[in-house]
């Protein structure tokens, strides 16, 4: 599926910002199943310094320094992306989840090393005992990892209410689980915690989703096309499989990935430091248009 993407964020400040430094995770990345054919970012005001960098996880980031007074900051990315995530193998044919766990620990020699760092707690996904118990209902002895992970994905979709405004980025994960309500970001964190509690590697993926699937006339849940989901390591043969607990899907053509990390804190679309500004308000406008 070929997409035209636009993502515009506008910050309006109550008083003048004298200077600002921003880091943006807004550039969709290439990987098997996704190809970015064109991309560009425009900011207003223009930065005094603009550099690109690749972070620890391989994400493309932009760093901006603005050194003139301003009361508004606009940043927009426009891109063309082709998406067709590879189909995973049949879930029942994947290795037992205990075997995957063993390989990730590997007595000090995990296979692969790059997946093993995703088994540990992270700032927004700490250990929560209730989530270990929740995941254990799917990860029974000897069960194939993708079969268990898919069931967990389905259970989160069924057990949690999609409710914008029920949480924010500061809501503790334990409170999200207890309240059984939130948004895609929360559901991704819930699934990641349940997987990591069993020694499995799970990463947070930020991106976009086509909310109306025209072929089947179904509406997918996402906040104005902005979305988040989970990548779970299923062994060297299957690799990373992208699962969407908000919609109970395996990512294929409806998802566009921008960045991934341990949790939202690694891939926040825009963060930084400003001098001045007092309170601020912001608005986000995203369009994701399939063109064939």
């Amino acid at each position: 599926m070929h997409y035209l993407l636009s993502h515009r964020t506008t910050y309006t400040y109550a008083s003048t910002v004298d200077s600002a430094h921003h880091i943006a995770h807004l550039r969709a990345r290439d990987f098997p199943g996704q190809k970015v054919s064109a991309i560009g970012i425009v900011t207003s005001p223009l930065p005094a310094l603009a550099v690109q960098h690749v972070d620890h996880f391989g994400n493309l980031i932009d760093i901006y320094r603005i050194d003139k007074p301003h009361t508004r900051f606009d940043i927009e990315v426009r891109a063309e992306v082709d998406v067709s995530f590879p189909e995973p193998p049949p879930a029942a044919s994947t290795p037992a989840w205990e075997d995957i766990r063993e390989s990730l620990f590997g007595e000090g020699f995990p296979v692969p090393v790059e997946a093993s760092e995703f088994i540990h707690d992270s700032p927004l996904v700490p250990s929560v005992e209730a989530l270990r118990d929740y995941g254990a209902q799917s990860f029974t002895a000897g069960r194939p990892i993708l079969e268990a992970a898919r069931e967990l994905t389905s259970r989160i979709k069924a057990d949690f209410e999609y409710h914008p405004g029920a949480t924010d980025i500061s809501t503790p994960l334990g409170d999200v689980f207890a309240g059984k309500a939130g948004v895609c970001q929360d559901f991704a964190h819930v699934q990641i915690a349940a997987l990591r509690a069993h020694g499995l590697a799970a990463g947070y993926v930020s991106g976009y989703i086509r909310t109306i699937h025209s072929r089947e006339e179904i509406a997918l849940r996402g906040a104005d096309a902005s979305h988040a989901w989970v990548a779970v390591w299923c062994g060297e043969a299957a690799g990373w499989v992208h699962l969407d607990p908000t919609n109970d899907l395996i990512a294929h053509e409806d998802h566009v990935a921008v960045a991934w990390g341990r949790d939202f804190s690694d891939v926040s679309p825009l963060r930084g430091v400003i001098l001045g500004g007092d309170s601020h308000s912001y608005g986000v406008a995203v369009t994701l248009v399939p063109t064939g």
Side-chain angles (χ1 to χ4, degrees):
M1 182 63 66
H2 185 78
Y3 289 102
L4 301 179
L5 166 68
S6 170
H7 180 169
R8 183 183 184 93
T9 305
T10 299
Y11 287 85
T12 303
Y13 304 106
S15 63
T16 300
V17 172
D18 294 318
S19 64
H21 287 75
H22 298 287
I23 298 175
H25 284 90
L26 290 171
R27 292 184 184 269
R29 56 186 288 173
D30 287 330
F31 62 94
Q34 180 168 293
K35 177 67 176 177
V36 181
S37 56
I39 195 165
I41 297 181
V42 176
T43 71
S44 177
L46 292 173
L49 174 70
V51 296
Q52 293 182 25
H53 181 61
V54 178
D55 71 9
H56 170 75
F57 301 106
N59 302 310
L60 304 174
I61 63 174
D62 290 86
I63 302 171
Y64 302 107
R65 188 187 77 219
I66 302 172
D67 59 5
K68 61 183 178 182
H70 56 284
T71 56
R72 175 176 168 138
F73 177 60
D74 294 273
I75 182 168
E76 181 178 14
V77 58
R78 289 181 175 269
E80 293 189 42
V81 187
D82 289 284
V83 178
S84 183
F85 287 32
E87 293 283 354
S93 72
T94 56
W97 68 268
E98 296 97 331
D99 294 341
I100 299 296
R101 178 181 62 186
E102 181 68 21
S103 70
L104 288 165
F105 282 89
E107 297 182 351
F109 298 94
V111 179
V113 172
E114 61 269 21
S116 64
E117 68 179 308
F118 290 92
I119 68 176
H120 303 290
D121 292 355
S122 56
L124 297 180
V125 185
S127 296
V128 177
E129 184 67 20
L131 279 165
R132 189 201 69 80
D133 296 340
Y134 184 72
Q137 298 174 46
S138 296
F139 287 88
T140 53
R143 195 169 190 191
I145 183 169
L146 186 54
E147 184 179 280
R150 282 293 290 121
E151 182 184 282
L152 176 62
T153 304
S154 298
R155 288 173 49 223
I156 293 171
K157 167 68 159 53
D159 294 344
F160 287 75
E161 178 189 358
Y162 183 79
H163 185 184
T167 60
D168 59 35
I169 191 59
S170 65
T171 304
L173 183 57
D175 291 354
V176 172
F177 181 71
K180 296 293 191 297
V183 293
C184 54
Q185 169 186 295
D186 301 303
F187 306 150
H189 286 159
V190 164
Q191 183 158 15
I192 290 168
L195 289 161
R196 290 181 185 167
H198 288 79
L200 301 172
Y204 180 99
V205 187
S206 71
Y208 308 98
I209 188 169
R210 179 169 54 149
T211 53
I212 300 297
H213 197 302
S214 58
R215 290 199 305 270
E216 299 176 7
E217 296 299 324
I218 60 173
L220 301 179
R221 296 190 294 185
D224 296 325
S226 295
H227 203 49
W229 59 94
V230 176
V232 56
W233 177 252
C234 293
E236 292 190 275
W240 292 99
V241 178
H242 290 233
L243 302 177
D244 177 356
T246 304
N247 294 291
D248 188 18
L249 293 174
I250 297 176
H252 182 48
E253 290 188 338
D254 294 316
H255 297 69
V256 176
V258 173
W260 54 70
R262 299 165 301 165
D263 59 37
F264 175 80
S265 66
D266 287 330
V267 297
S268 174
L270 191 69
R271 67 176 185 265
V273 178
I274 63 174
L275 179 62
D278 292 328
S279 63
H280 71 270
S281 59
Y282 72 96
V284 177
V286 177
T287 59
L288 185 66
V289 180
T291 62

